[in-house]
Amino acid sequence: MFKIFLDFDGTITRKDVGEEIFRKFLNENVVTKIVDDLLSDRISARECWESLCSSVSGINKNEFDEFIHSQEVDPTLHQFVKYCSENNFEIKVLSDGFDYYIEKILKRENLHHLKYFSNKLLFTESGKLVPSFPFYKDNCRGSANCKRDHILDNSSEDDYSIFIGDGISDNDAIQYVDFIFAKSDLLKYCETQRITYFPFKNFNDVISRLNELSAKKRLKKRHQAELKRREAFMIE
């Protein structure tokens, strides 16, 4: 019934792991300047990641990995994954972060069965970070991993698509889904753009709302999302 598309940084995890990494291993002023350029739309998400990665060198791999392992997930995540499994709701994780830390965190949490799409990160022997972007699209400036395409590729008109997220990399993706769960910057975006959404603090809130939606005899898709999906398929 439901196809769930789930953000990683700040949604699955308590903090934005990607941003935390660079605030840990880079000068704070450098990070702030690059992130401000992204927020002001002076650079794209891909350019932001490339600038951050190129500014880092000489990182100790053990220290890097230990910092990643210190990052916590939302304590209600496991219950949500179990709930989705019991109800046959398919989950796809869509992240504008990097496979390097996503893989480690999901494996630690015994959630490595979750399929995810993300950017890629190579840790070199000299302690440099080399990013690559297999799902980048020129018309997806807000996310170097074009979340919109994953939603279109992994759902059909028979599905009710759901996005759960918290950040600006989700702004484009939510245009194409029927139901939106938002917090933090994504919530603010939905408010300013007058996009219908459900606020949430943790996954227990999401479970409660999904139970309500499941109980409805006739569930309506979001009309604007239907139009956006049709438009995207016509362009292709």
Side-chain angles (χ1 to χ4, degrees):
M1 183 181 188
F2 294 131
K3 283 283 182 73
I4 312 287
F5 297 98
L6 182 57
D7 174 52
F8 188 85
D9 288 271
T11 303
I12 282 180
T13 53
R14 284 180 174 271
K15 297 180 179 180
D16 186 320
V17 179
E19 187 171 331
E20 290 296 309
I21 283 172
F22 289 103
R23 294 197 182 279
K24 167 75 173 176
F25 294 100
L26 256 183
N27 181 282
E28 180 75 20
N29 292 333
V30 174
V31 177
T32 299
K33 170 65 170 62
I34 295 172
V35 172
D36 283 348
D37 283 344
L38 172 67
L39 296 177
S40 302
D41 202 30
R42 289 188 288 270
I43 60 174
S44 67
R46 175 172 178 163
E47 290 168 325
C48 175
W49 286 130
E50 287 174 335
S51 295
L52 288 168
C53 288
S54 65
S55 301
V56 173
S57 63
I59 298 177
N60 178 278
K61 189 174 186 298
N62 288 335
E63 186 180 358
F64 189 70
D65 289 347
E66 285 176 9
F67 184 75
I68 289 170
H69 283 299
S70 73
Q71 300 302 304
E72 300 176 346
V73 300
D74 186 305
T76 61
L77 171 66
H78 287 275
Q79 180 60 33
F80 177 69
V81 173
K82 180 182 177 185
Y83 168 82
C84 289
S85 177
E86 290 172 346
N87 288 278
N88 294 315
F89 299 158
E90 185 179 297
I91 297 175
K92 292 284 193 305
V93 178
L94 308 182
S95 174
D96 194 37
F98 294 102
D99 62 341
Y100 189 94
Y101 60 78
I102 293 172
E103 190 78 32
K104 292 180 184 301
I105 292 173
L106 290 181
K107 185 175 181 180
R108 183 194 71 198
E109 297 295 323
N110 292 317
L111 294 174
H112 47 281
H113 62 281
L114 292 180
K115 185 172 180 60
Y116 70 88
F117 299 93
S118 72
N119 305 311
K120 294 185 177 296
L121 189 68
L122 175 66
F123 194 106
T124 71
E125 291 183 3
S126 61
K128 291 186 177 182
L129 303 179
V130 181
S132 58
F133 307 95
F135 305 111
Y136 174 74
K137 286 290 182 66
D138 285 333
N139 59 357
C140 276
R141 282 179 58 82
S143 178
N145 170 32
C146 190
K147 299 183 181 184
R148 173 201 65 201
D149 284 4
H150 299 305
I151 291 168
L152 295 174
D153 291 343
N154 291 279
S155 60
S156 71
E157 283 307 307
D158 294 330
D159 300 316
Y160 291 94
S161 52
I162 292 172
F163 192 90
I164 307 169
D166 79 311
I168 62 170
S169 70
D170 306 324
N171 291 355
D172 185 55
I174 63 169
Q175 313 294 333
Y176 297 85
V177 297
D178 298 306
F179 300 101
I180 301 160
F181 289 85
K183 63 179 180 177
S184 191
D185 289 336
L186 184 60
L187 184 152
K188 295 173 187 174
Y189 177 78
C190 290
E191 289 281 353
T192 58
Q193 299 298 314
R194 298 183 179 180
I195 297 172
T196 302
Y197 72 96
F198 299 122
F200 78 102
K201 292 182 179 178
N202 58 46
F203 290 107
N204 287 339
D205 297 335
V206 179
I207 290 172
S208 295
R209 184 67 69 173
L210 290 181
N211 283 333
E212 292 176 11
L213 293 174
S214 299
K216 290 189 176 183
K217 291 183 178 180
R218 295 191 65 182
L219 199 56
K220 295 182 68 175
K221 292 176 180 287
R222 192 163 64 97
H223 181 61
Q224 196 60 36
E226 287 185 303
L227 294 178
K228 294 288 284 186
R229 291 193 293 263
R230 286 174 196 162
E231 179 185 343
F233 287 128
M234 286 178 67
I235 292 172
E236 290 184 358

